[in-house]
Amino acid sequence: MAKPRLSTSYPDERGYFGPYGGRFVAETLMGPIEELERAYRKAQKSRQFRRELEQLLKDYCGRPTPLYHARRLSEELGGAQIYLKREDLLHTGAHKINNALGQALLTRRMGKPRVIAETGAGQHGVATATAAALLGLECVVYMGTEDMERQRLNVYRMRLLGAEVVGVDSGSRTLKDAINEALRDWVTNVETTHYILGSVLGPHPFPAMVRDFHSVIGEEARRQLREQTGRWEPDVAIACVGGGSNSIGLFRAFLDSRKVRLIGVEAGGSGGGLGEHAARFEGGSLGVLQGTRTLVLQDQAGQVAPTASVSAGLDYPAIGPEHVFLYERGRIEFTSADDARAVEAFHRLAHTEGILPALETAHAIAEVLELAPRLGRKQIVLVNLSGRGDKDVESVMAWDRRHGEQAAEDQEDPS
Amino acid sequence: MSPPLLGSKKRTPIASALRRAKKGRRAAFIPYITAGDPHLDATPRLVEALEEAGADIVELGVPFSDPMADGPVNQRAAYRALQAGTTLSGILDQLTARRDRIRVPIVLFTYLNPIVAMGVDEFVERAAHAGVAGVLCVDAPPEEIEHDLVAELRRRGIDPIFLLAPTSSRERIKRVAKLASGFVYYVSRLGITGEQAALAPQLISEVKRLRRRVGVPVAVGFGISTAEQVQAVGEVADGVVVGSALVRVVEEGAEAGLSTAEIAERLGARAAELLSNR
């Protein structure tokens, strides 16, 4: 019998990637989730659905996004050739719209008039608000109040698009708490509402469905790489990993090509202690959170730990179940970049290529800065430039000011 | 090793409590409070107060950092309990220490993650040792836990309690009916825990329908908060769960800086008041 293909054989019919995944929600949501799964299966088979989504991704969102050979950065680093998959050029400024639009179309097929979403960095919220405006759906976005503070621009963008943004003031006031609140809304209004979950998290079928909607990233990149370099595959593919949607979107096209190294970059935050970062592969343990069995940053009593990162989109204590499975199968490697390296990478890409990456994406760039010089000039590193950095200008400004002052103080007082 | 209880004729403490209520021609009263709210030392005294006020079964919430099925009142209770250092392990120790004093059957109402962190086998072993009568995992539908947690609980004579909801399909009701023992907890409306002014109009007929289908007693909860509602639901259901309305009493007491004895007294009085229409 042929070996199961990693790219298409998972999850199983119960939503499991090996021992990870499943459906851990209150009974009230089980019926609606089963309904969602049926609707999604039908939509996948519907030529009309696929055609409408493809058309909108092309004409409305700007797909295919370019694959760009970052010559100056490659030259400067003196190693591998770096190719950037420009998801930052997609409508709304990040890969998130691929999934938001897919799920919004599905919502309309299910006959529901209202969508809700959670958001961390605000990109998924903006994408959902955009898709809702386009399709005439009512839209409510939940966002932690700490994230609302650091991503003010995106909050206003969502409101401009006609969405209601509800601040979540519980727990750590970040992405995790926004998901809790969105789940509470969903269970209350499930008859009229679809929850457009923004990452490869939550109960089955979300991890598989969100992955499917983003698979276009890697499929395009593969073709474009062939056109530009004559090669179907890079030597290394790199993406940042919060929940894991942009990374799996890029990696899926290469999962069955064992020669391609796949590297996921988590948020190293400000330090290695529990609560100081969001690197699930450096301190996480098996748990069940927000609908799925996966790796969770938590204390010994099973209470979920706070996380920290300069980027709101990576600031989350759990990771998509498929990523844990693929890590254990030896297919994806994980590393982390801390806040300082991410901000440095942000500046570096801006200076050498004239591109402001999202702070999330800057974590992937930080790994490129480490790795590329150690590779040969004929080797190819493919990076998912998952989002643009306009939303982060204020955060970077505040960081630079804080660290500039610190550097000045350190100089005055060298003790 | 003790012999497996599954299939034995021995009635579980929960089944006995529901049977006693039925014989008295009343629905069982099942109040809920969060364990460790405002601190774990208070919990046995508060359970005692509920028992004295007429509780047939007490649901003890295990506080969790991410209570996605709970409304604001229970979220705050979980937060207070966690701030006071409450853990699942601590709750089980406390129940074990007071096992002889607490006579009312205890159902642990929990999220799955604290159990996963402890390990299913260790949890069930310690829960049995603590005299826990039932376990309800709010974020674990039967198909996810039937082969490990549910099987282990039944082996130790602890009732696995399942939720059913207005959105549960006929197939799902069947699945739960097959596994349920003790009672089935019917969620009275779509949504999270918390008080509500009016009960869903179709509740009465839904509960009647469900009772015919599941073969175990049906308790109703989520949003029941007045004596009138307790009475109305009690006329069709086998048990009535009241949560947030009682948790609120603990909250007010904690905020006013009352002693445990004073909070217990108010909690008991509120519970008695909820039963006053019966």
Side-chain angles (χ1 to χ4, degrees):
Chain A
M1 211 176 77
K3 253 177 103 178
R5 290 164 67 90
L6 285 175
S7 61
T8 51
S9 305
Y10 300 92
D12 66 18
E13 72 283 0
R14 294 177 56 229
Y16 275 88
F17 303 85
Y20 306 107
R23 261 180 193 157
F24 294 88
V25 293
E27 176 63 28
T28 314
L29 283 178
M30 285 302 287
I33 283 174
E34 288 169 349
E35 179 204 333
L36 170 65
E37 191 191 6
R38 283 191 297 272
Y40 176 56
R41 280 222 195 101
K42 261 179 92 176
Q44 268 180 310
K45 287 185 197 134
S46 155
R47 189 171 300 169
Q48 189 206 339
F49 177 82
R50 290 200 315 256
R51 199 184 299 142
E52 187 174 12
L53 179 57
E54 269 168 34
Q55 198 74 46
L56 282 173
L57 287 175
K58 177 170 169 277
D59 301 337
Y60 181 70
C61 300
R63 297 216 76 92
T65 58
L67 181 73
Y68 166 67
H69 182 192
R71 284 197 184 79
R72 263 173 64 81
L73 185 64
S74 305
E75 192 100 330
E76 243 190 55
L77 294 173
Q81 300 310 306
I82 298 157
Y83 285 80
L84 306 176
K85 180 60 177 162
R86 298 291 307 273
E87 293 295 294
D88 61 319
L89 293 178
L90 206 53
H91 182 41
T92 71
H95 70 292
K96 293 290 185 188
I97 190 91
N98 298 324
N99 166 56
L101 201 53
Q103 287 198 49
L105 284 174
L106 192 61
T107 305
R108 204 178 58 184
R109 272 175 81 90
M110 290 189 292
K112 294 184 173 182
R114 178 173 179 265
V115 293
I116 54 171
E118 84 295 341
T119 197
Q123 288 304 118
H124 175 59
V126 167
T128 303
T130 299
L134 180 69
L135 299 180
L137 301 166
E138 185 190 340
C139 177
V140 176
V141 179
Y142 291 93
M143 189 169 190
T145 48
E146 182 179 326
D147 291 340
M148 283 177 80
E149 184 58 39
R150 56 179 163 171
Q151 306 275 281
R152 278 190 298 185
L153 200 60
N154 271 344
V155 173
Y156 202 67
R157 282 172 81 195
M158 287 183 265
R159 288 182 175 148
L160 286 173
L161 291 160
E164 182 189 346
V165 181
V166 178
V168 178
D169 215 8
S170 58
S172 53
R173 306 198 304 273
T174 57
L175 182 55
K176 159 180 91 84
D177 311 284
I179 295 180
N180 286 333
E181 210 52 44
L183 284 165
R184 290 180 188 122
D185 178 315
W186 198 27
V187 76
T188 308
N189 301 300
V190 71
E191 283 163 335
T192 59
T193 300
H194 173 61
Y195 176 17
I196 301 189
L197 188 56
S199 196
V200 285
L201 299 165
H204 178 63
F206 283 108
M209 180 169 69
V210 176
R211 172 199 65 186
D212 295 348
F213 284 134
H214 285 304
S215 297
V216 62
I217 302 172
E219 285 160 16
E220 279 178 12
R222 205 180 154 85
R223 278 199 306 274
Q224 291 165 322
L225 202 62
R226 169 78 181 181
E227 283 161 20
Q228 293 182 26
T229 70
R231 288 178 51 183
W232 283 108
E233 287 155 7
D235 295 282
V236 186
I238 299 179
C240 64
V241 184
S245 67
N246 93 77
S247 54
I248 200 70
L250 180 70
F251 293 168
R252 194 180 188 196
F254 307 106
L255 280 179
D256 299 316
S257 321
R258 288 271 169 174
K259 280 188 204 145
V260 183
R261 267 183 83 187
L262 305 176
I263 303 177
V265 188
E266 300 187 282
S270 59
L274 195 63
E276 293 174 347
H277 63 86
R280 288 66 47 107
F281 287 96
E282 298 165 24
S285 53
L286 177 70
V288 173
L289 182 65
Q290 293 173 335
T292 190
R293 181 187 286 270
T294 186
L295 206 52
V296 180
L297 287 165
Q298 56 184 323
D299 68 14
Q300 286 192 329
Q303 304 298 340
V304 179
T307 52
S309 169
V310 67
S311 79
L314 304 184
D315 201 353
Y316 182 71
I319 183 169
E322 185 171 13
H323 289 69
V324 188
F325 171 68
L326 291 170
Y327 168 78
E328 289 192 348
R329 294 288 289 257
R331 194 62 198 94
I332 305 184
E333 305 161 43
F334 285 89
T335 182
S336 65
D338 65 18
D339 290 347
R341 279 179 58 205
V343 175
E344 190 195 319
F346 181 98
H347 285 297
R348 188 76 181 268
L349 194 67
H351 279 245
T352 52
E353 296 289 349
I355 298 171
L356 299 181
L359 273 175
E360 290 75 19
T361 314
H363 287 72
I365 303 297
E367 176 60 19
V368 173
L369 300 183
E370 287 280 318
L371 184 70
R374 292 190 267 127
L375 300 176
R377 284 174 183 273
K378 293 220 164 118
Q379 290 186 287
I380 293 174
V381 173
L382 171 64
V383 191
N384 195 357
L385 202 78
S386 54
R388 67 178 181 221
D390 307 47
K391 69 184 177 61
D392 294 314
V393 169
E394 266 192 283
S395 294
V396 173
M397 201 157 76
W399 170 282
D400 288 345
R401 195 175 295 141
R402 205 161 54 238
H403 291 264
E405 279 166 15
Q406 189 122 32
E409 272 171 36
D410 289 351
Q411 268 182 353
E412 279 167 30
D413 178 17
S415 58
Chain B
M1 222 175 75
S2 54
L5 285 165
L6 184 60
S8 83
K9 290 262 161 53
K10 193 164 173 265
R11 210 170 273 135
T12 63
I14 290 173
S16 302
L18 286 157
R19 203 179 144 88
R20 267 196 307 277
K22 193 173 184 183
K23 275 191 170 166
R25 292 170 178 281
R26 57 184 176 81
F29 176 53
I30 311 175
Y32 166 101
I33 54 171
T34 300
D37 175 25
H39 51 81
L40 198 50
D41 289 337
T43 300
R45 182 70 198 87
L46 300 184
V47 170
E48 222 170 276
L50 292 170
E51 190 176 354
E52 281 162 17
D56 297 285
I57 294 164
V58 170
E59 278 190 4
L60 266 188
V62 175
F64 182 49
S65 53
D66 292 83
M68 64 185 190
D70 280 299
V73 174
N74 286 358
Q75 286 177 44
R76 290 197 299 268
Y79 183 76
R80 282 192 299 276
L82 291 175
Q83 288 298 104
T86 308
T87 60
L88 176 58
S89 180
I91 294 166
L92 293 172
D93 284 344
Q94 178 76 279
L95 290 175
T96 306
R98 304 295 177 111
R99 185 171 178 170
D100 297 335
R101 301 252 301 273
I102 299 174
R103 286 164 52 207
V104 64
I106 300 286
V107 171
L108 289 181
F109 182 107
T110 184
Y111 290 81
L112 187 56
N113 200 50
I115 294 177
V116 171
M118 181 178 281
V120 167
D121 292 352
E122 184 184 337
F123 166 71
V124 174
E125 179 64 36
R126 291 180 61 186
H129 191 56
V132 168
V135 172
L136 191 166
C137 250
V138 66
D139 59 346
E143 54 265 56
E144 294 289 358
I145 54 172
E146 59 184 325
H147 300 299
D148 44 22
L149 180 60
V150 172
E152 282 304 305
L153 289 171
R154 298 190 72 154
R155 204 173 63 77
R156 298 303 305 258
I158 300 174
D159 287 320
I161 310 294
F162 292 103
L163 296 170
L164 281 173
T167 48
S168 301
S169 61
R170 202 179 271 261
E171 292 74 42
R172 299 201 56 79
I173 293 172
K174 256 192 213 159
R175 187 194 285 271
V176 165
K178 219 182 271 174
L179 289 172
S181 64
F183 63 92
V184 160
Y185 186 138
Y186 184 68
V187 175
S188 68
R189 51 120 195 244
L190 301 184
I192 49 180
T193 61
E195 298 127 295
Q196 64 185 351
L199 296 173
Q202 68 280 31
L203 178 67
I204 305 293
S205 62
E206 278 173 2
V207 173
K208 276 188 184 158
R209 198 166 50 99
L210 203 59
R211 280 184 76 197
R212 286 198 301 273
R213 286 208 193 143
V214 291
V216 291
V218 174
V220 175
F222 276 45
I224 298 171
S225 55
T226 67
E228 292 72 30
Q229 291 169 345
V230 169
Q231 187 221 0
V233 173
E235 277 172 18
V236 283
D238 302 289
V240 183
V241 184
V242 179
S244 303
L246 293 165
V247 173
R248 193 183 282 283
V249 176
V250 179
E251 174 165 74
E252 284 162 4
E255 275 171 4
L258 300 185
S259 70
T260 299
E262 287 166 319
I263 297 174
E265 191 181 321
R266 291 187 183 196
L267 185 67
R270 181 82 175 98
E273 193 186 314
L274 286 164
L275 293 175
S276 60
N277 270 28
R278 195 159 77 171

